[in-house]
Amino acid sequence: MNEQPQFSVPASSRPAFHEPGELVIRNVNWAGTRALYRKEVRRFMKVQLQTIWAPAVTTLMFLIIFSIALGGANRQVLGVPFADFIAPGLMIMGMMNNAFANSSFSLLAGKMQGTLIDYLMPPLSNSELLLALVGAAVTRAFCVGLALWGAMALWPGVHVTPAHPWAIAWFGLMGAALTAFIGVLTSIWAEKFDHAAAITNFVIGPMTLLSGTFYSIDRLAPVFQAISHANPFFYAISGFRYGFVAAADGDVVVGSIVLLVLNIALALLCYILLKRGWKLKA
């Protein structure tokens, strides 16, 4: 009896047999990433009165108070009425603050409640986990932005008609992603909610308020203009404002490049820390 020669087939070239209807993960676990993204979105949507509408109302109060106290009927900044000048800045400020609040909560809450394993055990790569967390934070930011835009559009004396929609979308995305990545870094580093609150009060808050939201940096002394240009939040606010009033304090192209590079750098840093399990894995 002649024996047939045996050939071994490498595992990488074997066909992927599976039962009908069985989910097979190829290169990217889109189903798992989408599930985590939906979970994070549903988490803040269940309390939308606190996570979307309350921040929108609070930011609208800034517009009303500063318009009455500092605006005046004839005051103009960058060639537009003062109310039209600060409205876009307040809008992107609210978006960035809420993107940070959302992304800085998930992993930190898991640490505090003992449910961090729910994020680390599912078959998700570090990049997929990061994509879901940041994507949900950006979604919350745009929900707050849309709520603010609708309220400001109905407010008398304020004009928020888009002049360059691409700038609104791009700088809104870059600004929200920037604080979302910072929020992920905060949730990895923080060990209690006080740590996250410290970043909010001493880093995010001052950087948003001192980035040209309520004033044009052209009126500042040269040294403070240089400090403002070193603040990445300035580029997000200036570019977002350009989308509405077609005027900006800085170069829109330079701002786009700066924000893109910073987001890539922060994404890589978040990925490296998640991969190493720094303060996440024993």
Side-chain angles (χ1 to χ4, degrees):
M1 214 176 142
N2 296 328
E3 293 184 0
Q4 297 294 330
Q6 300 295 320
F7 298 96
S8 60
V9 180
S12 59
S13 58
R14 293 173 190 167
F17 295 104
H18 56 88
E19 297 296 329
E22 180 184 352
L23 177 63
V24 177
I25 300 175
R26 301 289 185 179
N27 297 320
V28 180
N29 186 0
W30 291 114
T33 305
R34 186 165 54 250
L36 179 57
Y37 167 80
R38 289 178 176 176
K39 180 257 185 188
E40 292 296 310
V41 171
R42 288 174 179 174
R43 177 176 60 78
F44 73 76
M45 288 300 294
K46 284 183 179 180
V47 287
Q48 58 180 282
L49 191 64
Q50 175 187 350
T51 57
I52 296 177
W53 301 110
V57 171
T58 302
T59 307
L60 187 62
M61 292 299 102
F62 275 106
L63 174 65
I64 297 171
I65 293 171
F66 277 90
S67 297
I68 295 174
L70 301 177
N74 300 319
R75 183 177 180 183
Q76 292 192 346
V77 182
L78 295 180
V80 298
F82 182 74
D84 297 351
F85 171 82
I86 66 171
L90 289 171
M91 205 179 302
I92 185 64
M93 184 185 74
M95 293 171 63
M96 295 172 71
N97 285 337
N98 282 274
F100 173 83
N102 199 82
S103 62
S104 64
F105 178 83
S106 299
L107 297 180
L108 179 57
K111 292 180 183 179
M112 300 297 294
Q113 299 171 1
T115 58
L116 184 61
I117 194 68
D118 294 339
Y119 291 93
L120 303 180
M121 280 299 292
L124 290 173
S125 66
N126 298 309
S127 57
E128 292 162 354
L129 173 62
L130 183 61
L131 176 62
L133 294 178
V134 173
V138 172
T139 300
R140 174 173 168 180
F142 273 86
C143 288
V144 173
L146 287 173
L148 278 169
W149 179 78
M152 291 179 179
L154 297 175
W155 195 260
V158 180
H159 305 90
V160 286
T161 303
H164 300 288
W166 68 267
I168 298 173
W170 174 253
F171 285 99
L173 175 62
M174 289 292 101
L178 177 67
T179 51
F181 285 123
I182 297 175
V184 173
L185 290 174
T186 300
S187 66
I188 295 174
W189 162 78
E191 297 179 355
K192 52 185 179 179
F193 290 115
D194 289 349
H195 293 165
I199 299 298
T200 301
N201 295 327
F202 298 111
V203 178
I204 302 297
M207 289 182 72
T208 52
L209 292 174
L210 300 177
S211 55
T213 304
F214 303 101
Y215 55 85
S216 173
I217 67 168
D218 291 340
R219 302 184 179 184
L220 300 178
V223 62
F224 291 107
Q225 289 187 24
I227 294 174
S228 296
H229 281 98
N231 182 359
F233 289 24
F234 160 74
Y235 297 103
I237 292 174
S238 179
F240 193 82
R241 178 182 289 124
Y242 173 80
F244 283 97
V245 302
D249 288 324
D251 192 313
V252 176
V253 176
V254 172
S256 299
I257 297 173
V258 169
L259 290 173
L260 180 60
V261 171
L262 279 176
N263 276 310
I264 293 174
L266 288 173
L268 290 174
L269 179 59
C270 290
Y271 176 81
I272 292 172
L273 294 180
L274 287 172
K275 186 176 181 180
R276 293 182 177 179
W278 182 62
K279 290 198 171 186
L280 297 177
K281 302 176 183 178

